[in-house]
Amino acid sequence: MDSRTVFGRLGLSKRCPGVYAGEWIDRPDADTMPVVSPIDGNVLADVTLASEADYEAVARTAHETFTNWRMVPAPVRGRLVRDLADAFRAVKAELGALVTMEMGKIRAEGEGEVQEVIDMADFAVGLSRQLYGLSMHSERPSHRMYEQWHPLGVVGIVTAFNFPAAVWGWNALLAAVCGDSMIWKPASKTPLTAIACTRIAAKVCAAHGHPALMNLLIGPGRTVGERLINDRRVPLVSFTGSTPQGRRIASSVAARLGRTILELGGNNAIIVMDDADLDLAVRAILFGAVGTAGQRCTSTRRIIMHRRIAKVLVRRLLDAYAQIRIGDPLDPKTVMGPMVDREAVGEYVTAIRTIREQGGEILCGGRVLGGRTRASGCFVAPTLVRAKKNLPIMREETFAPILYLVEAGSLDEAIRIQNSVDQGLSSAIFTRGVEAAETFLSPRGSDCGIANVNIGTSGAEIGGAFGGEKDTGGGREAGSDAWKVYMRRQTTTINHGRDLPLAQGIRFGS
Ligand code: UN1
């Protein structure tokens, strides 16, 4: 599929407005930004950027829409989301290809990401009839007590380049059934996917009479991002990105007593025990470490291998790494495409230098891949690093296909190493033994938000709550009861008697 077809099917042009507030805002004097494909370095389109005045227009419109949308019954809100699911189904291949062209993940993963939006929409439709509150027994006679969940307000959704559609879907589709309107500020590295998703959403929302439900704001974090974070009309900010940025956003939003959902850095490890099925483990490690060119929050960054199988596992990983097909991510045979841009490649290069300085042994990879077909300069070799001891750099999340291999002599030691980093997103163990598996899942096991057995660290389904502990920020998105953060809880007590008994048996006055 070429970019012409994709642009045509998704309604994109060479100049795309980057602001949507119930209608597309395109001022002729707006600043523009080129979107460069990491595949070949070609400019895909120019995108116009929001000014601070545009922010105000978006925020005002989103808030107005909220005041109407909150009064629509939740199951009726679900119908809009059901139509959204169908609209995304209809362009799954094209939107998946756009993700590939814009940020470089392979076609299968690009389409998988769109599927994640569709799955999330299906989940949200069901949820629209299940926004349950509890009812309690009142201690007072002729009293009824229960809780209900009301829409919250305008939700700010700030997303990263690596999942340019799915993470918006996690938030937007829950927010929509919960009765919230929203403002999406996508990463400036992936504005086209955001524009395409918003175009799809806008059409459906308009058909349901709420054109400004899902708004878009592409612009610099310094100006429009800051406005969003500090805006009291936005009671919830959902942020996906780095830990330092998340820390800053959290403190700004907390200062005005707003809520945040933070999905920040990961530093995910797989423990491979001596009784593991190594076929499974190698396949999971490959997908986790090399998938999306190591640029998922859930990417596998560390392998903690039991000393008894270390030698054979390393040999098998070296064999597997030698066969990874790196190249054009639009080619179905490719397993790893480019990194998102040259800046990301720069970080990879710096990390490789640091690894060498700290005494890590590069077993394979460790270099930028040149050549005529790789003119964009964004292709790198996936890298295996043997670390005799914990290198300081292993504490950091380097967003690149670099995998550290360390040994452990026991399960306890492996868990200690696994938990020794600041981040706490995803984790996994490969073992056939119930004792090791259950210990890993027990309170003294993995300290992460996600803990898997005989499954890698990445590729979670939407049905579970997604997120992590410690420096990962503590937020939860997508499935389970993640919806509750998008609503406000109201506890209600109704007196249907003729008396006014007080709680705690207090007698007041006569
Ligand atoms: C992310 O990297 O920010 O579990 C999200 C996964 C995907 C989502 C990753 N479903 O790998």
Side-chain angles (χ1 to χ4, degrees):
M1 202 177 299
D2 60 9
S3 63
R4 245 237 189 87
T5 316
V6 168
F7 270 51
R9 288 276 288 149
L10 297 173
L12 301 175
S13 52
K14 281 286 166 194
R15 178 189 161 101
C16 294
V19 184
Y20 178 83
E23 57 186 8
W24 291 96
I25 298 175
D26 188 5
R27 286 174 294 98
D29 61 336
D31 290 339
T32 61
M33 173 181 73
V35 183
V36 178
S37 173
I39 303 174
D40 49 19
N42 287 340
V43 174
L44 291 166
D46 286 302
V47 168
T48 68
L49 301 178
S51 65
E52 291 206 47
D54 291 332
Y55 175 81
E56 193 43 41
V58 175
R60 202 175 340 104
T61 316
H63 190 261
E64 264 166 38
T65 295
F66 166 67
T67 59
N68 298 320
W69 183 240
R70 65 182 168 182
M71 297 310 292
V72 175
V76 179
R77 300 195 292 250
R79 277 188 226 151
L80 182 150
V81 174
R82 186 190 61 198
D83 289 348
L84 268 176
D86 289 344
F88 276 93
R89 272 190 184 92
V91 291
K92 179 176 166 183
E94 293 81 358
L95 189 56
L98 181 68
V99 169
T100 297
M101 287 167 192
E102 190 173 34
M103 61 71 69
K105 65 172 72 169
I106 59 170
R107 276 300 293 281
E109 291 186 284
E111 289 195 15
E113 159 143 23
V114 182
Q115 186 59 46
E116 206 159 333
V117 177
I118 297 166
D119 292 344
M120 198 59 217
D122 289 346
F123 176 88
V125 175
L127 189 66
S128 71
R129 290 183 184 270
Q130 301 174 76
L131 301 170
Y132 302 136
L134 298 172
S135 76
M136 299 85 182
H137 286 258
S138 171
E139 67 188 48
R140 289 170 280 183
S142 302
H143 278 55
R144 185 163 73 84
M145 182 159 57
Y146 73 103
E147 63 187 15
Q148 53 178 348
W149 292 87
H150 282 317
L152 185 65
V154 181
V155 178
I157 304 172
V158 184
T159 57
F161 76 86
N162 61 339
F163 276 83
V167 175
W168 167 76
W170 292 353
N171 287 279
L173 304 169
L174 285 188
V177 295
C178 289
D180 302 330
S181 63
M182 61 213 83
I183 301 173
W184 181 11
K185 189 193 165 314
S188 49
K189 295 181 188 193
T190 49
L192 285 179
T193 304
I195 290 170
C197 290
T198 303
R199 287 186 66 90
I200 298 163
K203 219 168 160 180
V204 174
C205 293
H208 283 257
H210 301 276
L213 186 63
M214 300 182 168
N215 302 291
L216 180 69
L217 197 69
I218 293 170
R222 282 188 315 284
T223 50
V224 294
E226 283 303 313
R227 293 287 298 269
L228 180 72
I229 290 155
N230 292 302
D231 192 339
R232 288 181 67 90
R233 285 168 296 186
V234 182
L236 170 65
V237 175
S238 173
F239 172 76
T240 303
S242 71
T243 297
Q245 257 181 314
R247 201 167 263 139
R248 222 174 35 74
I249 289 172
S251 69
S252 300
V253 178
R256 60 174 173 89
L257 303 179
R259 288 184 201 169
T260 45
I261 299 173
L262 299 173
E263 206 253 281
L264 313 177
N267 192 347
N268 318 299
I270 297 181
I271 296 174
V272 185
M273 292 302 290
D274 50 352
D275 63 350
D277 178 331
L278 291 187
D279 288 337
L280 286 194
V282 168
R283 279 164 57 196
I285 292 168
L286 219 59
F287 179 63
V290 173
T292 325
Q295 301 167 110
R296 291 190 187 212
C297 304
T298 51
S299 288
T300 308
R301 313 226 171 268
R302 300 175 293 144
I303 301 299
I304 305 163
M305 26 184 204
H306 196 284
R307 203 157 282 146
R308 276 200 285 267
I309 48 93
K311 222 181 194 153
V312 16
L313 182 61
V314 172
R315 202 181 57 236
R316 292 190 59 169
L317 283 173
L318 280 168
D319 282 350
Y321 267 59
Q323 286 164 39
I324 295 169
R325 296 178 81 117
I326 303 161
D328 182 354
L330 291 163
D331 179 343
K333 290 196 284 296
T334 299
V335 169
M336 193 181 108
M339 297 192 69
V340 67
D341 60 10
R342 288 192 182 191
E343 193 188 327
V345 173
E347 279 162 27
Y348 166 90
V349 170
T350 308
I352 298 293
R353 195 180 317 126
T354 309
I355 290 164
R356 290 210 166 96
E357 281 164 12
Q358 292 180 356
E361 183 190 350
I362 311 265
L363 298 179
C364 70
R367 64 205 162 80
V368 177
L369 300 174
R372 207 160 40 84
T373 53
R374 290 162 179 165
S376 72
C378 296
F379 288 84
V380 303
T383 303
L384 289 174
V385 178
R386 181 161 28 210
K388 283 266 150 52
K389 54 179 177 38
N390 261 337
L391 312 175
I393 193 172
M394 289 170 65
R395 303 186 63 80
E396 293 166 25
E397 178 190 46
T398 305
F399 233 49
I402 299 172
L403 184 63
Y404 302 101
L405 309 171
V406 288
E407 290 182 23
S410 67
L411 176 64
D412 284 347
E413 189 188 355
I415 291 174
R416 195 178 45 70
I417 297 172
Q418 123 94 37
N419 290 346
S420 69
V421 295
D422 293 328
Q423 306 85 347
L425 179 54
S426 188
S427 59
I429 188 168
F430 277 76
T431 176
R432 286 189 185 281
V434 74
E435 193 181 330
E438 291 291 341
T439 303
F440 177 75
L441 299 175
S442 77
R444 71 176 179 93
S446 165
D447 63 1
C448 292
I450 298 170
N452 294 334
V453 176
N454 296 329
I455 293 178
T457 57
S458 65
E461 303 174 20
I462 59 97
F466 182 95
E469 304 300 331
K470 305 194 290 185
D471 276 7
T472 304
R476 291 297 186 278
E477 292 168 297
S480 186
D481 64 353
W483 62 271
K484 288 182 173 170
V485 191
Y486 301 81
M487 302 197 85
R488 64 184 169 88
R489 185 196 315 239
Q490 187 167 68
T491 303
T492 296
T493 311
I494 300 166
N495 177 3
H496 55 90
R498 295 280 166 100
D499 203 358
L500 191 70
L502 299 176
Q504 294 89 42
I506 293 175
R507 289 180 178 279
F508 196 74
S510 59

